[in-house]
């Protein structure tokens, strides 16, 4: 799940200033922690509760931690959800569903449990079928990576069960535009992983596509970090962007599940 945070930070300066190339300063002075990292850490916190009702734990954790960082650039639907006394899901298929589920890949013991955890932490907000599908695809890719499948095997599984993978980054990069739906970003984010040769290369692939750079890179990083591991210099640098509370949430999750 640290991979998702790295991707978020590295991609953050380029969300509205797309690069369309891979040769950029990996940790820009203008990089920062966005809502993607905050909500990923909220899912970490929910999983750490070891609750028999993960859906309720996720709702509570997402609400409390989102309000703790109320200045973040949450989507309009999520912002309205935050303001409800008794929050209900809002039929969203936004990519916020997929950027926060990487902790489920790590915490789950089986593929079935991965899917159940993904549903529980996603459906409290993003209950549209495409939102649930995007989150599950990202979580499943991470789980399969954790269990030693090759990139080719993971891509085949995604192609058969979730999205067609019959495209390349080079082919779509010139015309790819800003897109916030799961169906418009999750396949692209996963392809950035499938075409990579290292964790850093995966994040560079993700940013180079353009579009919603921080979220695409967060989804890519969530899977790539599990598959490749994360070099110490990258992990240490990313943690410098986190405040003490965020670092504690990360530490608690790693202690319990890593």
């Amino acid at each position: 799940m640290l991979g998702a945070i790295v991707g978020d930070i590295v991609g953050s300066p380029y969300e509205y200033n797309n690069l369309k190339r891979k040769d950029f300063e990996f940790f820009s002075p203008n990089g920062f922690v966005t809502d993607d990292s905050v909500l990923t850490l909220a899912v970490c916190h929910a999983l750490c509760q070891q609750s028999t009702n993960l859906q309720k734990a996720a709702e509570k954790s997402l609400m409390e931690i989102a309000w703790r960082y109320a200045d973040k650039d949450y989507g309009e639907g999520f912002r309205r959800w935050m303001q409800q006394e008794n929050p209900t899901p809002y039929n969203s298929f936004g990519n916020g569903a997929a950027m926060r589920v990487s902790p489920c890949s790590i915490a789950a013991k089986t593929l079935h449990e991965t899917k159940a955890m993904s549903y529980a932490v996603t459906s409290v907000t993003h209950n549209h079928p495409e939102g649930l599908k995007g989150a599950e695809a990202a979580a499943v890719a991470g789980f399969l990576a954790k269990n030693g499948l090759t990139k080719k095997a993971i891509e085949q599984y995604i192609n058969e069960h979730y999205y067609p993978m019959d495209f390349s980054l080079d082919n779509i990069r010139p015309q790819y535009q800003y897109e916030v739906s799961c169906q418009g970003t999750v396949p692209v984010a996963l392809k950035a992983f499938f075409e990579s040769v290292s964790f850093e290369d995966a994040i560079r692939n993700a940013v180079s596509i353009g579009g919603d750079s921080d979220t695409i890179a967060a989804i890519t990083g969530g899977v790539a970090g599990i598959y490749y591991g994360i070099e110490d210099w990258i992990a240490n640098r990313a943690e410098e962007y986190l405040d003490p509370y965020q670092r504690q949430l990360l530490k608690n999750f790693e202690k319990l599940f890593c």
Side-chain angles (χ1 to χ4, degrees):
M1 116 294 312
L2 180 57
I5 294 171
V6 173
D8 176 42
I9 295 166
V10 173
S12 61
Y14 309 114
E15 179 180 7
Y16 302 114
N17 186 27
N18 289 169
L19 285 177
K20 299 286 186 174
R21 66 178 196 270
K22 293 175 65 172
D23 59 331
F24 57 87
E25 185 176 4
F26 199 67
F27 284 107
S28 166
N30 299 320
F32 59 97
V33 167
T34 81
D35 59 307
D36 295 16
S37 292
V38 168
L39 298 184
T40 297
L41 289 168
V43 171
C44 287
H45 184 61
L47 290 165
C48 285
Q49 306 311 302
Q50 301 282 281
S51 172
T52 55
N53 190 336
L54 179 57
Q55 208 165 20
K56 276 296 182 185
E59 178 184 288
K60 184 174 185 290
S61 181
L62 288 165
M63 183 70 74
E64 290 180 353
I65 293 176
W67 273 113
R68 188 181 183 105
Y69 298 96
D71 61 327
K72 296 298 181 184
D73 187 23
Y74 302 108
E76 291 182 10
F78 188 84
R79 179 71 68 179
R80 289 193 297 269
W81 180 85
M82 287 171 60
Q83 295 167 353
Q84 296 178 42
E85 184 174 348
N86 296 299
T88 56
Y90 46 93
N91 199 36
S92 174
F93 50 77
N95 56 18
M99 55 75 171
R100 71 191 194 206
V101 294
S102 56
C104 298
S105 305
I106 297 170
K109 296 181 176 64
T110 66
L111 185 59
H112 175 76
E113 188 177 24
T114 303
K115 294 177 180 180
M117 285 182 171
S118 174
Y119 181 87
V121 304
T122 302
S123 60
V124 294
T125 54
H126 296 62
N127 60 331
H128 188 283
E130 288 292 344
L132 295 168
K133 175 183 172 182
E136 184 176 295
V140 164
F143 177 81
L144 296 178
K146 182 181 72 173
N147 281 274
L149 273 71
T150 64
K151 283 182 291 182
K152 183 177 181 180
I154 300 169
E155 183 171 20
Q156 183 176 346
Y157 190 92
I158 295 300
N159 185 72
E160 291 176 357
H161 295 89
Y162 297 100
Y163 303 106
M165 288 283 114
D166 56 346
F167 64 93
S168 71
L169 298 184
D170 284 345
N171 285 341
I172 69 168
R173 187 179 289 108
Q175 68 270 18
Y176 188 78
Q177 298 180 348
Y178 193 86
E179 168 68 68
V180 296
S181 70
C182 273
Q183 54 270 42
T185 55
V186 175
V188 172
L190 294 178
K191 180 63 81 170
F193 162 63
F194 296 138
E195 290 191 6
S196 67
V197 297
S198 67
F199 174 75
E200 180 179 343
D201 188 55
I203 300 300
R204 291 187 181 278
N205 280 344
V207 173
S208 78
I209 299 165
D212 191 3
S213 297
D214 59 327
T215 301
I216 292 173
I219 297 167
T220 302
V223 181
I226 295 171
Y227 184 85
Y228 292 112
I230 303 173
E231 296 94 325
D232 288 344
W233 76 269
I234 294 178
N236 293 337
R237 185 72 183 89
E239 289 187 28
E240 293 175 7
Y241 287 79
L242 303 179
D243 67 29
Y245 178 71
Q246 292 165 346
R247 285 195 294 271
Q248 189 61 53
L249 291 175
L250 179 63
K251 182 179 179 181
N252 291 346
F253 181 84
E254 290 177 337
K255 183 178 180 180
L256 191 58
F257 294 110
C258 301

